[in-house]
Amino acid sequence: MAKEPMLQFVKMARETPEKRPASLRSQDFHEIYREFAAATAAEQSSRCSQCGVPFCQSHCPLHNNIPDWLRLTATGRLQEAYEISQATNTFPEICGRICPQDRLCEGNCVIEQSGHGTVTIGAVEKYITDTAWENGWVVPGKPAYERSESVGIIGAGPGGLAAADALRRAGLQVTVYDRYDRAGGLLTYGIPGFKLEKDVVARRVEQLEQAGVQFVLNCNVGEDLSFDAIRGQHDAVLIATGVYKQRDLAAPGVGSAGVVQALSYLTASNRRSFGDEVDDDGLDANGKRVVVIGGGDTAMDCVRTAIRQGATSVKCLYRRDRANMPGSQREVANAEEEGVEFVWLSAPRGFIAGDAVEGVIVQKMRLGEPDATGRQMPEIIEGADYVEPADLAIMALGFEPEDLPTLWGVPDLTVTRWGTIKADFRTHATSLPGVYAVGDIVRGASLVVWAIRDGRDAAQSILDYLAQPAVVAAE
């Protein structure tokens, strides 16, 4: 009888891919985790307990068939493992790199809950798909037959690209419009290369182009092309713009030179990595004392980017403690290894600036009574303010939706009281016939994996809509 290839967690400890030493990785923007070797990937996959109720799968927004492709990897059937992975996830190699697995699949792994250490799901997912690319198993999703209907997608981020892939595979004519000069949205310009190298995104975009998806870049809807014009050119429209309006502080000194927004800073850094000419405007940390304000993953991207740009010091202010940090604990640990100092229970009250910023006025905080959600509220400690010297202050306070009905001249596009587009949670249909919306512009700032899920689901809703007799008759 063949040896049982799974349930090896009782004999084998959890192992993660090797990280490059902090002293080396902090000098460049290459990914910090090395690839699993084939034998290690198989061994780590074999630790899966093959649960009757796989909580890893149910807590994945895409409901990836994780136990199946772990078993296939453990038994060396990698092409089949890739096909199972790709069946539910348009971009598994991207999710394997940037998903917060500690809060999703790995955090809910049964053997993690039993104290044995989770299966390294994300690293195996990355390994499977990188192997698939190396072996030519990843091919453009060209349709079996062409259809005449067309769909316009506004936004070339993960939600828009996932929808484009699904619609093109179904034979529809797909055009993606985006404000930037490269597709990918925040995957391209918001996430640093040490988490997601840009050729990983570029090859997926190239694959979509090979499949027949058309890209109209440097196109700012509402300025370069009207929303009504896009509706007029297509049988259905999908809005997948994301949320790009950055939250600001109402505090003295905001607007001074050297007080910058996180996305502007990260975009400038990524453009330099592409070799683009960048109008610096103070968006380089080299030789500067840097203070980053915020506690999410964007703040972690900023502090780690500043280290790589040669900052003399990097500090992160967060108004709660480490246990209440909204960003990934894995990212916090990586940042600390690279030399970032976290200043917990601290919030900015303003900025001291002459010709440029000279310091951040910091007010010390304590955690008080819980709010309605059970989370302790930060309270100011009076008289404990101090000045943190800074030559560059980066505000990573999150994102809000732009006022699309006004910007695009479509007052009938219904939005919520938060400014996000109001869309049916099942179909993703908006208040406008034939117009759908997905991702952060509906959810608010969220995860890439949710945008992919929304894009795939909305593509099916669009296919159902175009199959209705009334739509056919209207053509």
Side-chain angles (χ1 to χ4, degrees):
M1 183 178 292
K3 176 184 174 184
E4 170 56 55
M6 309 305 289
L7 290 94
Q8 298 301 306
F9 65 90
V10 295
K11 303 176 182 177
M12 190 180 306
R14 178 177 187 265
E15 184 177 334
T16 59
E18 180 188 0
K19 277 194 292 189
R20 293 194 294 137
S23 59
L24 295 179
R25 70 182 194 243
S26 61
Q27 304 301 312
D28 60 50
F29 283 85
H30 298 306
E31 291 180 9
I32 74 169
Y33 291 98
R34 302 191 191 279
E35 190 75 81
F36 263 149
T40 306
E43 288 173 353
Q44 289 299 304
S45 296
S46 73
R47 296 182 67 249
C48 175
S49 64
Q50 297 287 287
C51 308
V53 180
F55 291 102
C56 59
Q57 182 171 344
S58 61
H59 282 84
C60 170
L62 287 163
H63 301 310
N64 288 327
N65 299 316
I66 296 168
D68 290 348
W69 51 254
L70 286 173
R71 187 181 183 91
L72 289 167
T73 302
T75 54
R77 297 158 65 183
L78 289 179
Q79 185 167 1
E80 293 173 79
Y82 165 71
E83 290 167 356
I84 293 292
S85 175
Q86 180 75 38
T88 54
N89 188 353
T90 314
F91 310 121
E93 72 278 27
I94 292 175
C95 289
R97 285 169 163 86
I98 65 173
C99 259
Q101 288 96 3
D102 54 339
R103 304 203 305 262
L104 298 172
C105 55
E106 293 183 12
N108 291 280
C109 173
V110 167
I111 64 173
E112 166 76 4
Q113 303 304 316
S114 65
H116 289 277
T118 180
V119 178
T120 47
I121 296 168
V124 174
E125 182 178 41
K126 172 179 177 287
Y127 166 77
I128 291 169
T129 318
D130 286 353
T131 302
W133 279 101
E134 291 169 4
N135 286 278
W137 302 336
V138 186
V139 295
K142 293 184 178 179
Y145 62 92
E146 297 287 349
R147 294 172 55 170
S148 61
E149 304 100 320
S150 72
V151 178
I153 298 175
I154 305 174
L161 295 181
D165 176 77
L167 292 167
R168 187 67 195 116
R169 288 174 187 271
L172 270 63
Q173 311 308 306
V174 180
T175 302
V176 181
Y177 304 85
D178 196 84
R179 70 181 77 188
Y180 287 110
D181 56 344
R182 295 178 178 90
L186 291 180
L187 297 176
T188 297
Y189 285 122
I191 298 176
F194 53 77
K195 286 171 61 176
L196 177 63
E197 292 187 355
K198 301 312 166 185
D199 60 338
V200 175
V201 181
R203 67 187 179 187
R204 280 293 183 183
V205 175
E206 182 180 356
Q207 184 191 56
L208 289 170
E209 290 178 320
Q210 292 171 354
V213 174
Q214 302 294 314
F215 286 89
V216 179
L217 303 176
N218 289 312
C219 179
N220 203 333
V221 177
E223 295 181 9
D224 303 313
L225 186 64
S226 73
F227 180 74
D228 286 341
I230 292 176
R231 286 190 78 189
Q233 292 173 22
H234 301 285
D235 299 292
V237 173
L238 177 67
I239 302 171
T241 56
V243 289
Y244 281 87
K245 181 181 177 183
Q246 300 169 89
R247 292 192 184 122
D248 216 335
L249 279 174
V254 171
S256 301
V259 180
V260 304
Q261 289 283 2
L263 185 56
S264 302
Y265 174 69
L266 292 172
T267 299
S269 177
N270 279 312
R271 283 196 177 280
R272 290 190 195 93
S273 296
F274 281 118
D276 296 350
E277 289 188 16
V278 176
D279 182 7
D280 182 79
D281 197 26
L283 297 173
D284 191 330
N286 185 39
K288 296 177 181 177
R289 297 166 298 178
V290 177
V291 174
V292 176
I293 300 160
D297 288 336
T298 300
M300 298 306 98
D301 293 343
C302 290
V303 294
R304 299 179 66 200
T305 294
I307 288 287
R308 284 157 175 78
Q309 289 182 343
T312 57
S313 67
V314 181
K315 295 185 178 182
C316 181
L317 305 183
Y318 181 56
R319 61 181 184 156
R320 290 186 169 93
D321 59 9
R322 186 184 191 121
N324 285 281
M325 191 89 162
S328 167
Q329 291 295 324
R330 182 172 54 192
E331 288 298 298
V332 174
N334 287 336
E336 287 179 323
E337 291 171 3
E338 293 164 6
V340 175
E341 180 182 344
F342 287 87
V343 186
W344 308 110
L345 295 166
S346 300
R349 189 167 65 81
F351 303 90
I352 295 175
D355 294 334
V357 67
E358 298 171 2
V360 181
I361 305 170
V362 179
Q363 51 193 9
K364 296 301 294 180
M365 315 291 287
R366 60 171 169 253
L367 294 181
E369 294 298 318
D371 60 15
T373 66
R375 195 179 188 197
Q376 286 181 281
M377 293 293 292
E379 300 174 346
I380 297 171
I381 301 175
E382 298 295 342
D385 293 4
Y386 71 97
V387 176
E388 186 69 64
D391 307 303
L392 178 63
I394 304 171
M395 295 184 290
L397 303 173
F399 302 92
E400 296 175 343
E402 298 163 292
D403 183 2
L404 294 186
T406 300
L407 290 174
W408 292 355
V410 280
D412 292 338
L413 180 62
T414 303
V415 297
T416 69
R417 62 191 176 95
W418 299 282
T420 52
I421 293 177
K422 189 174 183 179
D424 185 277
F425 74 95
R426 291 174 293 105
T427 66
H428 302 279
T430 71
S431 56
L432 301 176
V435 177
Y436 298 77
V438 298
D440 289 1
I441 195 58
V442 176
R443 294 180 177 273
S446 186
L447 301 174
V448 166
V449 66
W450 276 114
I452 296 172
R453 162 73 182 271
D454 290 351
R456 292 170 66 96
D457 289 351
Q460 185 57 56
S461 294
I462 290 171
L463 291 169
D464 294 341
Y465 166 76
L466 294 176
Q468 295 175 16
V471 176
V472 175
E475 297 175 358

